[in-house]
Amino acid sequence: GQQVMQIPQYQHVQEGEDFTTYCNSSTTLSNIQWYKQRPGGHPVFLIQLVKSGEVKKQKRLTFQFGEAKKNSSLHITATQTTDVGTYFCAGPEKGNTPLVFGKGTRLSVIA
Amino acid sequence: SAVISQKPSRDICQRGTSLTIQCQVDSQVTMMFWYRQQPGQSLTLIATANQGSEATYESGFVIDKFPISRPNLTFSTLTVSNMSPEDSSIYLCSVERGQETQYFGPGTRLLVL
């Protein structure tokens, strides 16, 4: 079945440093989604990418969808303590649901 | 946006007992989903609950262990039956927010002793 892998599993950064997490699917995705889960919280939808090669920005966050629609990345510029949490990518196999989630990247930001 | 509530928010249960988790949405939705998130892990879909039909269970999850009800378009329950410590997890319900993306409820944190 479809597998979604994320690296790194953990990342500790100094406040102000950049951060990137990578997501790779074993199959082509119809779309890729990113969610953020704060410690003790629940996953919250951040963004969805649909088109091959698509790039979207949300303030300091930049999301990319690969040309083959099998990989994606999330880059945070100049991290802040409010960025702390676990970032999950998720995607449905092409034409199918449900979502398959990656294992997530847990980001710690040291002030 | 959808507002989702879950009850209970957390519970501590004895092994061998059962717990029913409720999920209430403030608008009518076709599909509701139940996920499990074990400590420090990712989200694993247990089942999809459609109103008026049997829930669809993912591989590794069975109705006898996780019976689900979906009596109307705004409500669902998940029961964790005959619990063991391995069932200690966060249980999350979610609904589609459009284009296959999802809103998640606040979760139910379950500890089985």
Side-chain angles (χ1 to χ4, degrees):
Chain A
Q2 178 191 8
Q3 294 184 23
V4 177
M5 293 147 284
Q6 273 186 263
I7 56 170
Q9 188 175 0
Y10 302 97
Q11 186 80 56
H12 307 279
V13 300
Q14 291 282 342
E15 190 173 23
E17 291 183 340
D18 292 356
F19 159 76
T20 304
T21 174
Y22 300 91
C23 176
N24 289 284
S25 171
S26 59
T27 60
T28 301
L29 301 169
S30 62
N31 67 85
I32 190 81
Q33 301 168 32
W34 287 90
Y35 293 79
K36 177 183 178 181
Q37 185 174 25
R38 295 181 184 273
H42 59 276
V44 174
F45 172 78
L46 292 178
I47 207 159
Q48 179 187 42
L49 304 170
V50 179
K51 299 176 183 176
S52 171
E54 188 170 13
V55 178
K56 287 188 176 179
K57 292 191 175 185
Q58 288 180 350
K59 297 183 180 178
R60 294 178 294 104
L61 278 61
T62 302
F63 304 84
Q64 291 187 318
F65 199 10
E67 293 290 340
K69 300 185 77 172
K70 295 179 71 174
N71 57 71
S72 181
S73 65
L74 159 59
H75 179 81
I76 302 178
T77 304
T79 55
Q80 300 175 359
T81 54
T82 53
D83 296 324
V84 165
T86 302
Y87 293 85
F88 293 98
C89 63
E93 200 167 355
K94 195 171 180 64
N96 287 328
T97 55
L99 290 179
V100 176
F101 281 79
K103 292 188 181 299
T105 297
R106 185 178 301 179
L107 173 64
S108 300
V109 179
I110 305 164
Chain B
S1 64
V3 177
I4 305 172
S5 59
Q6 283 186 236
K7 290 182 182 179
S9 59
R10 60 180 68 240
D11 207 342
I12 301 173
C13 301
Q14 295 296 323
R15 69 173 66 206
T17 63
S18 297
L19 176 72
T20 295
I21 302 167
Q22 300 178 7
C23 179
Q24 179 76 51
V25 189
D26 68 341
S27 56
Q28 294 184 341
V29 293
T30 303
M31 289 196 289
M32 296 178 75
F33 305 89
W34 286 99
Y35 285 84
R36 181 174 73 182
Q37 185 177 29
Q38 294 179 307
Q41 301 298 312
S42 185
L43 291 85
T44 302
L45 181 65
I46 298 171
T48 301
N50 293 322
Q51 195 268 335
S53 64
E54 293 282 332
T56 302
Y57 288 83
E58 297 300 307
S59 176
F61 298 96
V62 295
I63 188 171
D64 290 346
K65 175 68 176 177
F66 297 102
I68 287 171
S69 78
R70 183 79 200 275
N72 57 53
L73 291 173
T74 64
F75 187 79
S76 179
T77 68
L78 169 76
T79 299
V80 186
S81 303
N82 188 24
M83 288 183 286
S84 67
E86 291 72 33
D87 294 319
S88 298
S89 286
I90 302 171
Y91 292 87
L92 296 145
C93 70
S94 73
V95 302
E96 276 205 351
R97 64 189 294 282
Q99 298 180 303
E100 300 175 311
T101 64
Q102 296 191 9
Y103 287 113
F104 284 87
T108 295
R109 285 154 178 78
L110 172 61
L111 176 63
V112 183
L113 302 177

